[in-house]
Structure formats: C-alpha cells, structure tokens
C-alpha cells in the first residue's frame, strides 16, 4: 500500500522537482517490504523510460542524421564563405594597392607632362632670346657698314622680340638684351647726331651757318652706303625718334645765328649784313642800310638759302617754328614802327604791307608754312 502511494510521488519529484503535498504520502509507512516494492517500481519505471527513449530515438534517427548532414554542410558553407570573404578582402587589398600604384603613376605622368611643357617653354624661350640677340647682331653689322635703314628695321624687330619675352622681364638675359638694344640705339643716335651736325655747321660767334655739301664719304671700308646723305640722316633720325629734337635745335640755331642778328637794330642804328656763298650764310658783318627793301630782300634770300640746301620735308618742318619766330621779331622791330602817324606816310606803309604779303607768298612758294601771322598782320593793318 505504501509503495503504491510513494512511487507516484517520487516519480513526480524526479520529473517535476515537486514535493508531495498529500497527507497520505507524508504519513506513509516506509518499511522493508515497502522499500523493496518501491525499488522494484522505480526499476520498472526506469526500464519503461529507457524503452520509450529507444523507441523515440529509432523514430527520430533519420531526422537527426539529416540535421547532422545539414549541419556539416552548413559548416562547410561557412568555411567556404570565410574563404571567399578572405579572398574578397585579399582582392580588395590588391585592388587598393593597384589603385594606389595607378594614382602614383598618374602623378608621375602629370609631373612628366609639366616637365616636358617646361622644357618646351624653356627651349622656346631660349630660341626667342637667341633670335633677339641675333637680330641685334645683324642690326649692329648693318650699322657698321652704313646700312642705316636695315639697321633701324632690325632694331625695331629686336625691340618687338624682346617685348615678347613674357615672364622674363626681370631676368638677366632679358636685361642684357634690353641693355644691348639701348646701347646700339644710343650709338646710332650719337652717330646720326654727329653726321647731322656735320651737314649743318652752326657758329654762333661768327653768326654763320654752313652746309658741308650734299654727301659725306663713309669712313668704313666696304660700306653698303658709300656716300652718307642728309636724306639718309633724316631717315635715321626719324627711325630713332630724334628728328623732332634735331629740328627744334636747328630752328633755334638759325634764329640765334641769323634771324635775330638781322632783325635786331643795335645802339648804333645798324643791322647785320646778310652775306651768301654757295654753301654758307653769314650775318657777321654790320651796316647801316635800314631800308625795308633791303630787309625783305635779305629775308627772302635767307629763306631761299635754307630751302635750297635742305631736303623739302626738313624745310617744311623747319618753317613751322622758324617762320613764326621770324614773324614775331619782324613785327616787333620793323612792322609796328612802320605804322604811319600821318597821312603822308601812308604810301610807304602801303609799300611795306605789299612787301609783307610778297614775303608770305615767297615763303609759301617753297611749300613752307608758318605765314599765318604775317597774313593776319596785313589784314589787321587798316
């Protein structure tokens, strides 16, 4: 009886860890016979459980084998995935190396391209410098043999070439070229001025202007231009931008040495006497001829002298400054004093007006300019 009560309680404890709460179980008698029965009941329960487990195992064995196979396959897939992942990582790292190598190669290519461009630019610049230097050399050679036109042309070409050296303005090479060009130009300016002054010799003290002739023999053997003419010096002066300054000096020289002495009346009531030879004009001597006829005749002779000895373009430029200066002195020292104070002096004054107009006509007959002041004075005389 006790075994029948205790056996379920013990099995309940084994399966569910639950203590019996029945009063019959707690008060059951555990004698020797009861223990033997209890042990036999437990043994039978164990045998029954083992048989159930075996039966269950036999029923679930195929599923377990399948699970095991799938687990092994899964493990193999995991291993393959790991290997694939490792290969992907390795390939990615290799691609990164290749990308880095490609970027480095790209940087090197760009650097090489820059170096090539720099070398090409440098080569072009050096050729540019060499060309400018050769042109200056050619200009100097032309100048030595008297080929002024070609020398000026080469200098202009050299100046343009030097100006084209962008980015090298402050370099020594460009500075040397500029210095050489400036020195060559200065040398030509000095030579041109020297020849110009040789053509037109002005002596202030003697109040004389002399033209040495229509040509000077070149001092260099084998000169391209064996005879240096005044026209050639005019071309050179214009090309060197010194023509205007030379003409201004000539105008002042003529006014100082010739015009002023002839028109100024000294304290003794005398004026300079105009003397002409083939190539020389002088106002060194003085006389007391104060007649207007002699005055205007002398002025016309002075104009004729320069018009015949100077190239036409030089004479025209000279007249633009010389004639107005002469007109001013003529008006101040001769024309204003000639204005009549009474009616009896009118015929002489009319004659003077006619001479002024004739002088203006004579000047314009040479193609000269600057007669406006004379024309205006005649018009305003009434």
């Amino acid at each position: 009886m006790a075994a029948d009560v205790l056996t379920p309680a013990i099995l309940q404890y084994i399966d569910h860890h639950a203590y019996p709460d029945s009063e019959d179980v707690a008060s059951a008698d555990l004698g020797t016979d009861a223990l033997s029965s209890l042990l036999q009941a437990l043994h039978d329960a164990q045998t029954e459980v083992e048989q159930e487990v075996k039966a269950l195992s036999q029923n679930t064995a195929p599923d377990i084998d399948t699970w095991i196979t799938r687990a092994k396959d899964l493990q193999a897939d995991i291993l393959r995935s790991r290997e694939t992942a490792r290969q992907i990582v390795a390939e990615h790292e290799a691609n990164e190396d290749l990308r880095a190598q490609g970027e480095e190669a790209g940087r090197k290519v760009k650097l090489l391209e820059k170096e090539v461009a720099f070398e090409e630019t440098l080569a072009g610049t050096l050729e540019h410098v060499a060309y400018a230097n050769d042109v200056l050399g050619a200009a100097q050679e032309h100048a030595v043999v008297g080929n002024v036109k070609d020398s000026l042309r080469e200098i202009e070409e050299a100046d343009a070439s030097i100006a084209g050296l962008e980015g090298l303005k402050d370099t020594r090479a460009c500075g040397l070229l500029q210095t050489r060009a400036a020195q060559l130009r200065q040398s030509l300016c000095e030579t041109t001025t020297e020849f110009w002054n040789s053509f037109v010799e002005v002596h202030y003290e003697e109040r004389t202007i002399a033209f040495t002739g229509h040509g000077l023999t070149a001092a260099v053997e084998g000169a391209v231009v064996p005879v240096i003419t005044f026209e050639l010096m005019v071309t050179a002066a214009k090309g060197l931008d010194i023509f205007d300054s030379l003409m201004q000096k000539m105008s002042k020289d003529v006014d100082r040495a010739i015009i002023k002495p002839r028109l100024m009346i000294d304290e003794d009531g005398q004026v300079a006497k105009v003397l002409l030879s083939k190539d020389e004009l002088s106002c060194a001597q003085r006389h007391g001829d104060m007649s207007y006829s002699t005055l205007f005749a002398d002025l016309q002779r002075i104009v004729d002298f320069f018009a015949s000895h100077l190239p036409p373009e030089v004479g025209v430029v000279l007249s633009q400054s010389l004639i107005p200066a002469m007109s001013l002195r003529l008006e101040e020292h001769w024309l204003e004093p000639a204005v009549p104070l009474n009616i009896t002096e009118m015929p002489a004054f009319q004659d003077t007006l006619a001479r002024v107009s004739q002088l203006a006509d004579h000047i314009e007959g040479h193609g000269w300019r600057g007669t406006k002041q004379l024309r205006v004075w005649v018009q305003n005389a009434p």
Side-chain angles (χ1 to χ4, degrees):
M1 181 66 182
D4 295 335
V5 176
L6 290 175
T7 299
I10 293 172
L11 292 176
Q12 183 71 19
Y13 172 76
I14 292 173
D15 290 337
H16 303 288
H17 299 282
Y19 289 99
D21 53 3
S22 174
E23 189 69 28
D24 294 335
V25 174
S27 60
D29 183 19
L30 290 176
T32 302
D33 294 335
L35 287 175
S36 296
S37 299
L38 179 60
L39 289 175
Q40 183 62 41
L42 290 175
H43 178 74
D44 292 341
Q46 180 180 359
T47 300
E48 184 181 357
V49 170
E50 288 177 353
Q51 290 176 352
E52 290 178 355
V53 169
K54 288 180 180 181
L56 181 63
S57 296
Q58 290 176 355
N59 293 332
T60 60
D63 294 336
I64 293 175
D65 291 339
T66 301
W67 294 343
I68 291 173
T69 300
R70 291 180 178 178
K72 289 181 179 180
D73 292 340
L74 180 59
Q75 186 176 12
D77 291 340
I78 292 173
L79 292 176
R80 284 194 296 271
S81 298
R82 288 179 179 177
E83 180 63 21
T84 301
R86 186 189 65 77
Q87 292 178 356
I88 292 173
V89 171
E91 291 177 359
H92 175 72
E93 292 176 350
N95 290 334
E96 289 295 325
D97 292 338
L98 290 175
R99 184 182 294 108
Q101 293 176 4
E103 292 176 353
E104 180 65 21
R107 286 192 292 268
K108 291 181 178 179
V109 169
K110 291 182 179 179
L111 179 60
L112 289 175
E113 289 176 348
K114 290 181 179 179
E115 289 181 355
V116 170
F118 172 76
E119 290 179 358
E120 291 177 349
T121 302
L122 180 60
T125 301
L126 292 177
E127 291 177 358
H128 197 155
V129 171
Y131 173 76
N133 188 61
D134 291 342
V135 172
L136 287 175
Q140 186 171 4
E141 291 177 0
H142 288 312
V144 169
V145 297
N147 193 349
V148 178
K149 291 183 179 180
D150 287 344
S151 180
L152 290 174
R153 177 177 55 79
E154 297 287 3
I155 289 179
E156 291 178 358
E157 187 173 347
D159 287 340
S161 181
I162 294 171
L165 291 172
E166 297 294 339
L168 298 177
K169 299 298 184 182
D170 298 328
T171 62
R172 178 174 175 78
C174 187
L176 290 174
L177 288 175
Q178 291 174 336
T179 300
R180 186 181 181 190
Q183 290 175 345
L184 182 56
R185 183 178 291 274
Q186 180 62 29
S187 177
L188 284 176
C189 287
E190 293 174 356
T191 302
T192 300
T193 302
E194 182 180 353
F195 275 108
W196 183 286
N197 293 333
S198 298
F199 276 107
V200 185
E201 295 181 355
V202 180
H203 305 283
Y204 299 116
E205 297 298 329
E206 293 81 2
R207 295 178 179 177
T208 300
I209 292 180
F211 287 86
T212 58
H214 295 289
L216 298 174
T217 302
V220 179
E221 184 177 354
V224 175
V225 183
V227 177
I228 300 175
T229 62
F230 199 8
E231 288 79 0
L232 181 60
M233 288 301 97
V234 171
T235 301
K238 288 183 176 180
L240 295 168
D241 294 329
I242 60 174
F243 178 73
D244 291 341
S245 62
L246 290 174
M247 290 305 305
Q248 290 175 3
K249 181 178 182 299
M250 179 184 289
S251 178
K252 292 179 181 178
D253 290 343
V254 174
D255 181 67
R256 178 181 174 184
I258 303 299
I259 302 299
K260 182 178 179 181
R262 179 58 186 87
L263 295 179
M264 293 290 291
I265 303 173
D266 62 18
E267 296 177 354
D268 299 329
Q270 293 185 335
V271 294
K273 184 178 182 178
V274 176
L275 298 175
L276 291 175
S277 64
K278 181 181 179 181
D279 296 316
E280 184 177 283
L281 172 62
S282 174
C283 286
Q285 299 182 20
R286 305 192 72 78
H287 66 167
D289 188 351
M290 302 293 292
S291 66
Y292 280 80
S293 59
T294 301
L295 169 66
F296 284 100
D298 285 347
L299 294 179
Q300 289 185 12
R301 292 166 65 199
I302 291 172
V303 171
D304 292 342
F305 177 79
F306 286 104
S308 63
H309 285 81
L310 293 174
E313 59 179 327
V314 177
V316 172
V317 175
L318 176 64
S319 67
Q320 294 174 350
S321 58
L322 180 64
I323 300 304
M326 183 188 74
S327 301
L328 183 62
R329 294 187 187 280
L330 179 64
E331 181 179 339
E332 180 181 356
H333 299 289
W334 292 86
L335 298 183
E336 289 183 0
V339 175
L341 299 179
N342 55 67
I343 196 66
T344 59
E345 298 175 349
M346 283 299 298
F349 183 64
Q350 291 293 338
D351 182 68
T352 299
L353 293 179
R355 292 181 185 278
V356 173
S357 295
Q358 291 172 3
L359 177 61
D361 293 338
H362 192 82
I363 293 171
E364 293 174 354
H366 290 293
W368 284 23
R369 304 170 184 172
T371 59
K372 181 179 180 180
Q373 190 170 346
L374 295 175
R375 299 291 190 188
V376 171
W377 194 87
V378 172
Q379 293 173 2
N380 293 337

